[in-house]
């Protein structure tokens, strides 16, 4: 069972009341995932969001954005002029102070504010009303439990991501090795060319590829190395792609590792261990399992096969939530808590050894009461 | 004369000392323009940045990111373990508290923090050291004065942006009107298709198009309407494109308005007024001019031709700075201050009338001691 929208609004109301606050406040553009989640409004310029228990959340926008906001946002909409912002500016207040002033007037009592609320706004608000830090991250917790609609968006994103992955791997598969490099149409096939091919596929489907990793050879030993230059024969190529749906803002996230040519025995063994670790972790995923336990289980799984989990070997977390952010709650890492149905998570074990290289595989799906509904369908094959 | 890197670091040192602080602190991923500016490090996960006067700025990253950060960042790099973060976590501190703890230890005195510094971090820091709000936005002011290298990046971005604009307009020009719609290859030419064509061009050059506006007909009366669906004959099509260079993070920004077919007399007049307003404003741009004066001048320019600047007509600011953000300092709006050499700004007058439509034109360039070095070379032609 996945929580409904109504359930989650109740979470916010409870958090406000438990904190002894009159309202919850957020501030940001739609690049701020909490703001986008609470408003479903795409905007480059920051908006104020105020939510009082039992009422519909409200955003404050400029006059210029009013009509578009009414059409597009799930929140109620008022203009800056409506709430007295322009009067405050005319009275000589700075923009931050005027914004704080109108928020305090709207709330009429103490405010609950998220971790990433701007310091300038909190500082000015404090001279009008107490500001309480939302230490527990209520909106992050709401975001972590996806609705059926959100699950559909993310599943759709994963589908398109696999089409892009397939285009990228097809370029590598059809390349021609010569003197240690891979060639295509007579020129070296580069990380950049594979990335552009995948991003172009994404674009045609209304998705945006950002910072996609196509790393090769020695660079693969650094998990976040983006990769550049000619791709190499017989060396691991790690492709980690986490595009965003332009329309909904939701992401997918997947990783495959391939070799054109003959992998070293060490890479072959690492690949088999990583694949087995992923399947082992997925077999344990269900509502009630703990992220930290799953991570520790994989650390032990690797240790039994002779791989460390420290400065080398398995150097990152097992996985993470995915939604409006690529990395969001819940964590499948050392600090991860209890999972619940509706959590969309990735499972991405990896092994990294300087001088040998890196291997990572990543699948994504939704946690259910009885297991894990995997979205990722794409094949795993080391040599292409 | 454009300020050198050294000059600008001195600004930061002075701001710290003037505030009576021991260090400047920032926190964020490279999506935070200040963090990216200060570190030149691309990262999805937030980093801590601490700058003490006379010293090189320092970033704190995870062990996994250390090697990449050393290669890529202009800041000095230490790991979380180096600064005691992991010890704080082991001692039971929350991540925010542990982060505040190590920042306070590194600074050894009061901290100067920017407007968008996370409230959670400020709140925890306050129990270790005083936190002073940087009301004047020293890093935003540094960012507003571009170095020759930044100017080169933005000029390059504008060059690619014009190639993309040209592709988009070519689709419209080559379309075939029928029954009020524009057709291409027998199907209606849509806003989405033009956007995808332009984004694909950008991608091939290593640029990312985000939220590009291709609006048509009634939608053009809303300046930020992104546009959707079939494009119309005889109606204004507003194309506003502000891509980001994947490598450097810098943007360009330009707007053109075109009509396939016969524009209404009202749109023709608006187009002529907007173009004349833009050239008038540009003729007044130079170091020492004030953003607010330029904006007011254009309001008056439009008023003399019978156009309002209120709920309808010219409803937004004349222009804005461009750099790591599409909208940054300085403002060419009602609150804009004095301009200086090295400011990269857009000039984008527009007129918007419900029932008639909208027209906007936007050029970009760098303010000099004696005038304005315009980057935008692309033609202005209403009918295509």
């Amino acid at each position: 069972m996945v929580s409904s929208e109504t359930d989650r609004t109740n979470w916010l109301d409870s958090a406000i009341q438990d904190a002894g606050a009159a309202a919850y406040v957020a501030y940001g553009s739609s690049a701020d995932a909490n703001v986008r989640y609470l408003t479903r409004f795409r905007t480059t310029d920051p908006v104020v969001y105020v939510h009082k228990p039992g009422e519909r959340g409200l955003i404050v926008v400029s006059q210029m954005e009013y009509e578009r906001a009414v059409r597009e946002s799930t929140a109620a909409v008022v203009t800056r002029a409506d709430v007295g912002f322009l009067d405050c500016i005319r009275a000589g207040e700075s923009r931050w102070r005027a914004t704080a002033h109108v928020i305090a007037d709207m709330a009429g009592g103490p405010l609950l504010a998220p971790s990433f609320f701007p310091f300038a706004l909190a500082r000015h608000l404090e001279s009008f009303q107490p500001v309480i830090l939302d230490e527990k991250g209520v909106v992050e917790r709401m975001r972590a439990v996806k609705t059926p609609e959100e699950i559909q968006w993310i599943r759709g994103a994963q589908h398109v991501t696999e089409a892009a992955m397939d285009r990228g791997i097809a370029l590598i598969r059809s390349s021609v090795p010569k003197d240690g490099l891979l060639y295509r149409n007579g020129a070296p096939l580069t990380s950049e060319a594979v990335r552009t091919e995948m991003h172009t596929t994404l674009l045609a489907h209304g998705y945006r590829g950002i910072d996609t990793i196509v790393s090769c050879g020695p660079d693969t030993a650094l998990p976040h190395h983006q990769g550049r230059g000619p791709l190499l024969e017989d060396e691991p190529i790690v492709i980690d792609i986490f595009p965003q749906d332009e329309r909904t803002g939701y992401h997918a996230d997947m990783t495959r590792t391939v070799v054109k040519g003959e992998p070293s025995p060490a890479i072959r063994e690492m690949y088999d261990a990583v694949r087995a670790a992923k399947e082992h972790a997925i077999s344990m995923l269900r509502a009630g399992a703990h992220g930290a336990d799953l991570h520790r289980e994989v650390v032990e799984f690797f240790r039994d096969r002779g791989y460390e989990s420290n400065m080398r070997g398995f150097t990152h977390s097992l996985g993470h939530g995915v939604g409006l952010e690529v990395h969001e709650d819940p964590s499948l890492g050392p600090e991860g808590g209890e999972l619940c149905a509706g959590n969309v998570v990735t499972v991405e074990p990896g092994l990294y050894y300087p001088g040998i290289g890196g291997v990572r595989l990543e699948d994504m799906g939704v946690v259910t009461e009885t297991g894990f509904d995997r979205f990722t369908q794409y094949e795993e094959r080391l040599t292409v």
Side-chain angles (χ1 to χ4, degrees), chain A:
Chain A
M1 270 300 294
V2 168
S3 299
S4 72
E5 287 280 356
T6 309
D7 284 336
R8 291 185 300 172
T9 303
N10 289 344
W11 292 10
L12 186 52
D13 286 1
S14 300
I16 295 166
Q17 284 155 348
D18 292 350
Y24 179 89
V25 61
Y27 179 89
S29 74
S30 45
D32 179 307
N34 281 1
V35 170
R36 184 153 189 184
Y37 179 83
L38 293 165
T39 68
R40 301 291 177 197
F41 183 51
R42 281 172 74 175
T43 171
T44 316
D45 298 319
V47 298
V48 168
Y49 174 87
V50 174
H51 178 93
K52 290 178 169 185
E55 295 183 14
R56 191 172 165 211
L58 187 70
I59 57 174
V60 183
V61 303
S62 66
Q63 178 63 42
M64 184 180 85
E65 294 284 38
Y66 178 76
E67 203 171 323
R68 191 173 72 85
V70 167
R71 285 192 206 179
E72 296 178 13
S73 179
T74 53
V77 183
V78 292
T79 68
R80 290 178 187 162
D82 293 338
V83 293
F85 176 80
L86 301 182
D87 298 331
C88 294
I89 292 286
R90 273 183 222 110
E93 293 182 7
S94 71
R95 295 184 74 82
W96 286 116
R97 183 148 197 95
T99 305
H101 200 152
V102 300
I103 291 170
D105 286 351
M106 290 164 76
L111 286 137
L112 185 66
S115 296
F116 279 95
F117 194 68
F119 172 48
L121 212 38
R123 178 56 56 91
H124 283 292
L125 263 172
E126 281 163 353
S127 58
F128 298 105
Q129 292 288 354
V131 187
I132 302 155
L133 174 61
D134 175 27
E135 296 262 12
K136 289 182 192 161
V138 59
V139 179
E140 286 82 353
R141 285 187 294 118
M142 292 161 68
R143 283 170 43 207
V145 186
K146 269 66 179 179
T147 62
E149 186 179 37
E150 290 173 299
I151 289 170
Q152 195 181 346
W153 291 337
I154 299 171
R155 204 190 284 272
Q158 177 60 25
H159 189 72
V160 172
T161 301
E162 294 189 17
M165 177 68 80
D166 197 52
R167 286 297 310 143
I169 290 180
L171 280 190
I172 296 165
R173 182 182 291 118
S174 64
S175 69
V176 179
K178 191 183 148 197
D179 302 333
L181 298 189
L182 305 183
Y183 284 80
R184 181 180 154 78
N185 302 331
L189 177 63
T190 62
S191 163
E192 291 83 352
V194 172
R195 187 178 301 120
T196 299
E197 178 78 12
M198 294 193 294
H199 285 195
T200 304
T201 304
L202 291 169
L203 200 52
H205 290 87
Y207 288 74
R208 179 193 300 166
I210 302 175
D211 296 343
T212 299
I213 291 171
V214 183
S215 66
C216 181
D219 292 343
T220 60
L222 297 176
H224 277 190
H225 195 293
Q226 216 193 335
R228 56 187 298 181
L231 297 175
L232 309 173
E233 186 184 9
D234 304 332
E235 291 285 340
I237 300 171
V238 173
I239 306 180
D240 187 346
I241 180 167
F242 33 91
Q244 184 177 32
D245 183 342
E246 294 267 2
R247 192 176 56 85
T248 67
Y250 283 78
H251 293 80
D253 192 1
M254 78 179 294
T255 307
R256 288 294 181 264
T257 302
V258 296
V259 173
K260 176 75 179 178
E262 189 55 43
S264 69
I267 290 291
R268 267 196 197 281
E269 276 178 29
M270 285 160 62
Y271 191 88
D272 292 342
V274 166
R275 182 163 52 179
K278 175 164 66 66
E279 294 307 317
H280 181 58
I282 286 175
S283 75
M284 295 183 303
L285 264 175
R286 63 177 52 81
H290 282 72
D293 293 345
L294 292 166
H295 177 82
R296 193 169 45 245
E297 184 73 28
V298 168
V299 168
E300 286 167 14
F301 184 94
F302 279 134
R303 194 186 50 209
D304 292 347
R305 281 159 186 73
Y307 296 108
E308 307 125 278
S309 296
N310 202 337
M311 303 287 278
R312 309 189 305 170
F314 178 44
T315 57
H316 54 66
S317 290
L318 174 62
H320 54 83
V322 178
L324 286 168
E325 291 184 292
V326 184
H327 290 170
E328 60 180 44
D329 288 340
S331 165
L332 305 187
E335 297 161 49
E338 186 175 344
L339 301 174
C340 69
N343 289 156
V344 169
V345 298
T346 71
V347 180
E348 55 166 337
L351 290 170
Y352 310 92
Y353 286 91
I356 296 170
V359 169
R360 182 165 67 255
L361 294 169
E362 178 177 35
D363 287 355
M364 188 181 63
V366 60
V367 175
T368 67
E369 290 296 347
T370 56
F372 185 61
D373 179 4
R374 197 187 315 206
F375 302 159
T376 314
Q377 301 294 326
Y378 197 78
E379 66 176 4
E380 285 163 329
R381 197 181 302 179
L382 175 57
T383 55
V384 295

